[in-house]
Coordinates of all heavy atoms in Angstrom, one line a residue:
L109 N -2.0 -6.7 -9.4 CA -2.9 -5.6 -9.9 C -4.2 -6.1 -10.6 O -4.9 -5.2 -11.1 CB -2.0 -4.7 -10.9 CG -0.8 -4.0 -10.2 CD1 -0.1 -3.2 -11.3 CD2 -1.2 -3.1 -9.1
I110 N -4.3 -7.4 -10.7 CA -5.5 -7.9 -11.5 C -6.8 -7.3 -10.8 O -6.9 -7.2 -9.6 CB -5.6 -9.4 -11.5 CG1 -6.8 -9.9 -12.3 CG2 -5.5 -10.0 -10.1 CD1 -6.8 -11.3 -12.6
E111 N -7.6 -6.9 -11.6 CA -8.9 -6.2 -11.1 C -10.1 -7.1 -11.0 O -10.1 -8.1 -11.6 CB -9.3 -5.0 -12.0 CG -8.2 -4.0 -12.2 CD -8.7 -2.6 -12.2 OE1 -9.6 -2.2 -12.9 OE2 -8.0 -1.8 -11.5
A112 N -10.9 -6.8 -10.1 CA -12.1 -7.6 -9.8 C -12.9 -7.8 -11.1 O -13.5 -8.9 -11.3 CB -13.0 -6.9 -8.8
E113 N -13.0 -6.7 -11.9 CA -13.7 -6.8 -13.2 C -13.2 -8.0 -14.1 O -13.9 -8.7 -14.7 CB -13.6 -5.5 -13.9 CG -14.5 -5.3 -15.1 CD -13.8 -5.5 -16.4 OE1 -12.5 -5.5 -16.5 OE2 -14.4 -5.6 -17.4
T114 N -11.8 -8.1 -14.1 CA -11.3 -9.2 -15.0 C -11.6 -10.6 -14.3 O -11.9 -11.5 -15.1 CB -9.7 -8.9 -15.0 OG1 -9.4 -7.7 -15.5 CG2 -9.0 -10.0 -15.9
M115 N -11.5 -10.7 -13.0 CA -11.9 -12.0 -12.4 C -13.3 -12.3 -12.7 O -13.6 -13.4 -13.0 CB -11.6 -11.8 -10.9 CG -10.2 -11.5 -10.4 SD -10.2 -11.5 -8.6 CE -8.6 -10.8 -8.3
G116 N -14.2 -11.3 -12.6 CA -15.6 -11.5 -12.9 C -15.8 -12.0 -14.4 O -16.6 -12.9 -14.6
R117 N -15.0 -11.3 -15.3 CA -15.2 -11.7 -16.7 C -14.8 -13.2 -16.9 O -15.3 -13.9 -17.7 CB -14.3 -10.8 -17.6 CG -14.9 -9.5 -17.9 CD -14.3 -8.8 -19.1 NE -13.0 -8.4 -18.9 CZ -11.9 -8.5 -19.7 NH1 -12.1 -9.2 -20.9 NH2 -10.7 -8.2 -19.4
M118 N -13.7 -13.7 -16.1 CA -13.3 -15.1 -16.3 C -14.4 -16.0 -16.0 O -14.7 -16.9 -16.7 CB -12.1 -15.3 -15.4 CG -10.8 -14.5 -15.8 SD -9.5 -14.6 -14.4 CE -9.0 -16.3 -14.5
L119 N -15.0 -15.7 -14.8 CA -16.1 -16.6 -14.3 C -17.3 -16.5 -15.3 O -18.0 -17.5 -15.6 CB -16.5 -16.2 -12.9 CG -15.4 -16.4 -11.9 CD1 -15.7 -15.8 -10.5 CD2 -15.0 -17.9 -11.7
E120 N -17.6 -15.4 -15.8 CA -18.7 -15.2 -16.6 C -18.5 -16.0 -17.9 O -19.4 -16.7 -18.4 CB -19.1 -13.7 -16.9 CG -20.0 -13.1 -15.9 CD -19.8 -11.7 -15.8 OE1 -19.5 -11.0 -16.8 OE2 -20.0 -11.1 -14.7
R121 N -17.3 -15.8 -18.4 CA -17.0 -16.6 -19.7 C -17.1 -18.1 -19.6 O -17.5 -18.8 -20.5 CB -15.5 -16.1 -20.1 CG -15.0 -16.7 -21.5 CD -15.9 -16.2 -22.7 NE -15.6 -16.9 -23.9 CZ -16.3 -18.0 -24.3 NH1 -17.2 -18.5 -23.5 NH2 -15.9 -18.5 -25.5
L122 N -16.7 -18.5 -18.4 CA -16.8 -19.9 -18.1 C -18.2 -20.5 -18.1 O -18.4 -21.6 -18.6 CB -16.2 -20.2 -16.7 CG -16.0 -21.7 -16.3 CD1 -14.8 -22.2 -17.1 CD2 -15.6 -21.7 -14.8
H123 N -19.1 -19.6 -17.9 CA -20.6 -20.0 -17.9 C -21.3 -19.6 -19.1 O -22.5 -19.6 -19.2 CB -21.2 -19.5 -16.6 CG -20.8 -20.3 -15.5 ND1 -21.4 -21.5 -15.1 CD2 -19.8 -20.2 -14.6 CE1 -20.7 -22.0 -14.0 NE2 -19.8 -21.2 -13.8
A124 N -20.6 -19.0 -20.1 CA -21.3 -18.6 -21.4 C -21.8 -19.9 -22.0 O -21.5 -21.0 -21.7 CB -20.2 -17.9 -22.3
G125 N -22.7 -19.6 -23.0 CA -23.4 -20.7 -23.7 C -22.6 -21.8 -24.2 O -23.1 -23.0 -24.1
D126 N -21.4 -21.6 -24.6 CA -20.6 -22.6 -25.3 C -19.9 -23.5 -24.2 O -19.1 -24.4 -24.5 CB -19.6 -22.0 -26.3 CG -18.6 -21.1 -25.6 OD1 -18.9 -20.5 -24.6 OD2 -17.4 -20.9 -26.2
R127 N -20.0 -23.0 -22.9 CA -19.4 -23.8 -21.8 C -18.0 -24.4 -22.0 O -17.7 -25.5 -22.1 CB -20.3 -25.0 -21.4 CG -21.6 -24.6 -20.8 CD -22.4 -25.8 -20.3 NE -21.7 -26.7 -19.4 CZ -21.6 -26.5 -18.1 NH1 -22.2 -25.4 -17.6 NH2 -21.0 -27.4 -17.3
P128 N -17.0 -23.4 -22.1 CA -15.6 -23.8 -22.2 C -15.1 -24.6 -21.0 O -15.7 -24.4 -19.9 CB -14.8 -22.5 -22.4 CG -15.7 -21.4 -21.8 CD -17.1 -21.9 -22.0
A129 N -14.2 -25.5 -21.2 CA -13.7 -26.3 -20.1 C -12.9 -25.4 -19.2 O -12.8 -25.6 -17.9 CB -12.8 -27.4 -20.6
A130 N -12.1 -24.4 -19.8 CA -11.3 -23.5 -19.0 C -11.3 -22.2 -19.7 O -11.5 -22.0 -20.9 CB -9.9 -24.1 -18.9
V131 N -11.1 -21.2 -18.8 CA -11.0 -19.8 -19.4 C -9.5 -19.3 -18.9 O -9.2 -19.3 -17.8 CB -12.0 -18.8 -18.8 CG1 -11.8 -17.4 -19.4 CG2 -13.4 -19.3 -19.3
V132 N -8.8 -18.8 -19.9 CA -7.5 -18.3 -19.6 C -7.4 -16.8 -19.8 O -8.1 -16.3 -20.8 CB -6.5 -19.1 -20.5 CG1 -5.1 -18.4 -20.5 CG2 -6.4 -20.5 -20.1
V133 N -6.6 -16.1 -19.1 CA -6.5 -14.7 -19.3 C -5.1 -14.5 -20.1 O -4.1 -14.8 -19.7 CB -6.4 -13.9 -18.0 CG1 -6.3 -12.3 -18.4 CG2 -7.6 -14.1 -17.2
G134 N -5.4 -13.9 -21.3 CA -4.2 -13.6 -22.2 C -3.9 -12.0 -22.2 O -4.8 -11.3 -21.7
F135 N -2.7 -11.7 -22.5 CA -2.4 -10.3 -22.6 C -1.3 -10.1 -23.7 O -0.6 -11.1 -24.0 CB -2.0 -9.7 -21.2 CG -0.7 -10.3 -20.7 CD1 0.4 -9.4 -20.4 CD2 -0.5 -11.6 -20.4 CE1 1.6 -9.9 -19.9 CE2 0.7 -12.1 -19.9 CZ 1.7 -11.2 -19.7
R136 N -1.2 -8.9 -24.1 CA -0.2 -8.6 -25.2 C 0.8 -7.5 -24.7 O 0.6 -6.3 -24.9 CB -0.9 -8.1 -26.4 CG -1.9 -9.1 -27.1 CD -2.5 -8.6 -28.3 NE -3.8 -9.3 -28.6 CZ -3.8 -10.4 -29.4 NH1 -2.8 -10.9 -29.9 NH2 -5.0 -11.1 -29.6
P137 N 1.8 -8.1 -24.0 CA 2.8 -7.1 -23.5 C 3.7 -6.5 -24.5 O 3.8 -7.1 -25.6 CB 3.7 -8.0 -22.6 CG 3.6 -9.4 -23.1 CD 2.2 -9.5 -23.8
K138 N 4.2 -5.3 -24.3 CA 5.2 -4.7 -25.2 C 6.2 -5.6 -25.6 O 6.6 -5.7 -26.8 CB 5.7 -3.3 -24.7 CG 5.1 -2.1 -25.2 CD 6.0 -0.9 -25.0 CE 5.2 0.3 -24.4 NZ 5.0 0.4 -23.1
D139 N 6.8 -6.2 -24.6 CA 7.9 -7.2 -24.8 C 7.5 -8.6 -24.3 O 7.4 -8.7 -23.1 CB 9.1 -6.7 -24.0 CG 10.4 -7.6 -24.4 OD1 10.2 -8.6 -25.1 OD2 11.5 -7.2 -23.9
P140 N 7.1 -9.5 -25.2 CA 6.5 -10.8 -24.7 C 7.5 -11.7 -24.0 O 7.1 -12.7 -23.4 CB 6.1 -11.4 -26.0 CG 6.1 -10.4 -27.1 CD 7.2 -9.4 -26.7
L141 N 8.8 -11.3 -24.0 CA 9.8 -12.1 -23.2 C 9.5 -13.6 -23.3 O 9.4 -14.2 -24.3 CB 9.7 -11.7 -21.7 CG 9.9 -10.1 -21.4 CD1 9.5 -9.8 -20.0 CD2 11.3 -9.8 -21.8
Q142 N 9.6 -14.3 -22.1 CA 9.6 -15.7 -22.1 C 8.2 -16.2 -21.6 O 8.1 -17.3 -21.0 CB 10.7 -16.3 -21.2 CG 12.0 -15.6 -21.6 CD 13.2 -16.6 -21.4 OE1 13.0 -17.6 -20.7 NE2 14.3 -16.4 -22.1
Y143 N 7.2 -15.4 -21.7 CA 5.9 -15.9 -21.3 C 5.5 -17.0 -22.2 O 5.9 -17.2 -23.4 CB 4.8 -14.8 -21.5 CG 5.0 -13.7 -20.5 CD1 5.4 -12.4 -20.9 CD2 4.7 -13.9 -19.1 CE1 5.4 -11.4 -20.0 CE2 4.8 -12.9 -18.2 CZ 5.2 -11.6 -18.7 OH 5.3 -10.6 -17.8
G144 N 4.5 -17.9 -21.6 CA 3.9 -18.9 -22.4 C 3.0 -18.2 -23.5 O 2.5 -17.1 -23.3
R145 N 2.8 -18.9 -24.6 CA 2.0 -18.3 -25.7 C 0.7 -19.0 -25.8 O 0.5 -20.2 -25.5 CB 2.8 -18.4 -27.0 CG 4.1 -17.7 -27.0 CD 4.0 -16.2 -26.8 NE 5.2 -15.5 -27.3 CZ 6.3 -15.1 -26.6 NH1 6.4 -15.4 -25.3 NH2 7.3 -14.4 -27.2
I146 N -0.3 -18.2 -26.3 CA -1.7 -18.8 -26.5 C -1.9 -18.6 -28.0 O -1.9 -17.4 -28.6 CB -2.7 -18.0 -25.8 CG1 -2.4 -18.0 -24.2 CG2 -4.1 -18.5 -26.0 CD1 -3.3 -17.1 -23.4
L147 N -2.2 -19.7 -28.7 CA -2.6 -19.7 -30.1 C -4.2 -19.7 -30.1 O -4.7 -20.8 -29.8 CB -2.0 -20.9 -30.8 CG -0.6 -20.7 -31.3 CD1 0.4 -20.4 -30.1 CD2 0.0 -21.9 -32.1
A148 N -4.8 -18.6 -30.5 CA -6.2 -18.5 -30.3 C -6.9 -18.4 -31.7 O -6.2 -18.0 -32.7 CB -6.6 -17.3 -29.5
R149 N -8.0 -18.9 -31.7 CA -8.8 -18.7 -33.0 C -9.6 -17.4 -32.9 O -9.6 -16.7 -32.0 CB -9.9 -19.8 -33.1 CG -9.2 -21.2 -33.1 CD -10.2 -22.4 -33.3 NE -9.7 -23.7 -33.1 CZ -9.7 -24.3 -32.0 NH1 -10.3 -23.8 -30.9 NH2 -9.1 -25.5 -31.8
G150 N -10.1 -17.0 -34.1 CA -10.8 -15.8 -34.2 C -12.0 -15.6 -33.2 O -12.2 -14.5 -32.8
D151 N -12.6 -16.7 -32.8 CA -13.7 -16.6 -31.9 C -13.3 -16.7 -30.5 O -14.1 -16.8 -29.5 CB -14.7 -17.8 -32.2 CG -14.1 -19.1 -32.0 OD1 -12.8 -19.2 -31.7 OD2 -14.8 -20.1 -32.1
G152 N -11.9 -16.6 -30.2 CA -11.5 -16.5 -28.8 C -11.4 -17.9 -28.2 O -11.2 -18.0 -26.9
T153 N -11.5 -18.9 -29.0 CA -11.3 -20.3 -28.4 C -9.8 -20.6 -28.6 O -9.2 -20.0 -29.5 CB -12.2 -21.4 -29.0 OG1 -12.0 -21.4 -30.4 CG2 -13.7 -21.1 -28.7
I154 N -9.3 -21.5 -27.8 CA -7.8 -21.8 -27.9 C -7.5 -23.0 -28.7 O -8.1 -24.1 -28.4 CB -7.3 -21.9 -26.4 CG1 -7.6 -20.6 -25.6 CG2 -5.8 -22.2 -26.4 CD1 -7.3 -20.7 -24.1
E155 N -6.5 -22.8 -29.6 CA -6.0 -23.8 -30.4 C -4.9 -24.6 -29.7 O -4.9 -25.8 -29.6 CB -5.6 -23.3 -31.7 CG -5.4 -24.3 -32.8 CD -4.9 -23.5 -34.0 OE1 -5.5 -22.5 -34.4 OE2 -3.9 -23.9 -34.7
K156 N -4.1 -23.7 -29.1 CA -2.9 -24.4 -28.4 C -2.3 -23.4 -27.3 O -2.3 -22.3 -27.5 CB -1.8 -24.7 -29.5 CG -0.6 -25.4 -28.9 CD 0.4 -25.8 -30.0 CE 1.6 -26.6 -29.3 NZ 2.7 -26.9 -30.2
M157 N -1.8 -24.0 -26.3 CA -1.0 -23.2 -25.3 C 0.3 -23.9 -25.2 O 0.5 -25.1 -25.1 CB -1.7 -23.2 -23.9 CG -3.0 -22.4 -23.9 SD -3.6 -22.1 -22.4 CE -2.5 -21.0 -21.7
V158 N 1.3 -23.1 -25.3 CA 2.7 -23.6 -25.3 C 3.7 -22.8 -24.5 O 3.6 -21.5 -24.6 CB 3.2 -23.8 -26.8 CG1 3.2 -22.5 -27.5 CG2 4.6 -24.4 -26.8
E159 N 4.5 -23.4 -23.7 CA 5.6 -22.6 -22.9 C 6.6 -22.2 -23.8 O 6.9 -22.8 -24.8 CB 6.1 -23.5 -21.8 CG 5.2 -23.8 -20.7 CD 4.7 -22.5 -20.0 OE1 5.5 -21.8 -19.5 OE2 3.5 -22.1 -20.2
Y160 N 7.2 -21.0 -23.6 CA 8.2 -20.4 -24.4 C 9.4 -21.4 -24.7 O 9.8 -21.6 -25.8 CB 8.8 -19.2 -23.7 CG 9.9 -18.5 -24.5 CD1 9.5 -17.6 -25.5 CD2 11.2 -18.8 -24.3 CE1 10.5 -16.9 -26.2 CE2 12.2 -18.1 -25.0 CZ 11.8 -17.2 -26.0 OH 12.8 -16.6 -26.7
K161 N 9.7 -22.2 -23.6 CA 10.8 -23.1 -23.8 C 10.5 -24.3 -24.7 O 11.4 -24.8 -25.3 CB 11.1 -23.9 -22.4 CG 11.9 -23.1 -21.4 CD 12.3 -23.8 -20.2 CE 13.0 -23.1 -19.2 NZ 13.1 -23.7 -17.9
D162 N 9.2 -24.5 -24.9 CA 8.8 -25.7 -25.8 C 8.4 -25.2 -27.2 O 8.0 -25.9 -28.0 CB 7.7 -26.4 -25.1 CG 8.1 -27.0 -23.7 OD1 8.8 -27.9 -23.7 OD2 7.6 -26.4 -22.7
A163 N 8.3 -23.8 -27.3 CA 7.7 -23.3 -28.5 C 8.6 -23.2 -29.8 O 9.8 -23.2 -29.6 CB 7.2 -21.8 -28.2
T164 N 8.0 -23.3 -30.9 CA 8.7 -23.2 -32.2 C 9.0 -21.7 -32.4 O 8.2 -20.9 -31.8 CB 7.9 -23.8 -33.3 OG1 6.7 -23.0 -33.4 CG2 7.6 -25.2 -33.1
P165 N 9.8 -21.3 -33.3 CA 10.0 -19.9 -33.6 C 8.7 -19.2 -34.0 O 8.5 -18.1 -33.6 CB 11.0 -19.9 -34.8 CG 11.8 -21.1 -34.5 CD 10.9 -22.2 -34.0
E166 N 7.8 -19.9 -34.8 CA 6.6 -19.4 -35.3 C 5.6 -19.2 -34.1 O 5.0 -18.2 -34.0 CB 5.9 -20.3 -36.3 CG 6.6 -20.5 -37.6 CD 7.8 -21.5 -37.4 OE1 7.7 -22.5 -36.7 OE2 8.9 -21.2 -38.0
E167 N 5.7 -20.1 -33.1 CA 4.8 -19.9 -31.9 C 5.3 -18.8 -31.0 O 4.5 -18.0 -30.5 CB 4.7 -21.3 -31.1 CG 4.0 -22.3 -31.9 CD 4.2 -23.8 -31.3 OE1 5.2 -23.9 -30.6 OE2 3.4 -24.6 -31.6
R168 N 6.6 -18.7 -31.0 CA 7.2 -17.6 -30.2 C 6.9 -16.2 -30.8 O 6.9 -15.2 -30.0 CB 8.8 -17.7 -30.1 CG 9.1 -18.8 -29.2 CD 10.7 -19.0 -29.1 NE 11.0 -20.2 -28.2 CZ 12.2 -20.5 -27.9 NH1 13.3 -20.0 -28.4 NH2 12.4 -21.6 -27.1
A169 N 6.7 -16.2 -32.1 CA 6.3 -15.0 -32.7 C 4.9 -14.4 -32.4 O 4.5 -13.3 -32.7 CB 6.5 -15.1 -34.2
V170 N 4.1 -15.3 -31.8 CA 2.7 -14.9 -31.4 C 2.8 -14.0 -30.2 O 3.6 -14.2 -29.3 CB 1.9 -16.2 -31.0 CG1 0.6 -15.8 -30.3 CG2 1.7 -17.1 -32.3
D171 N 2.0 -12.9 -30.3 CA 2.2 -11.8 -29.2 C 1.1 -12.0 -28.1 O 1.1 -11.4 -27.1 CB 2.2 -10.4 -29.8 CG 0.7 -10.1 -30.3 OD1 -0.1 -11.0 -30.5 OD2 0.5 -8.8 -30.5

Side-chain angles (χ1 to χ4, degrees):
L109 296 181
I110 180 170
E111 301 224 313
E113 189 259 346
T114 303
M115 298 181 193
R117 276 201 293 139
M118 293 167 74
L119 295 171
E120 272 155 33
R121 183 67 189 87
L122 191 64
H123 287 273
D126 64 333
R127 289 182 59 82
V131 175
V132 169
V133 183
F135 67 119
R136 299 179 199 269
K138 255 202 225 85
D139 187 353
L141 304 167
Q142 309 214 341
Y143 289 115
R145 301 297 205 266
I146 303 172
L147 281 58
R149 303 184 188 91
D151 63 355
T153 58
I154 299 173
E155 195 177 310
K156 185 175 181 187
M157 291 192 67
V158 61
E159 286 303 291
Y160 183 83
K161 280 185 183 166
D162 302 286
T164 63
E166 295 74 44
E167 289 167 344
R168 289 180 180 181
V170 169
D171 70 343

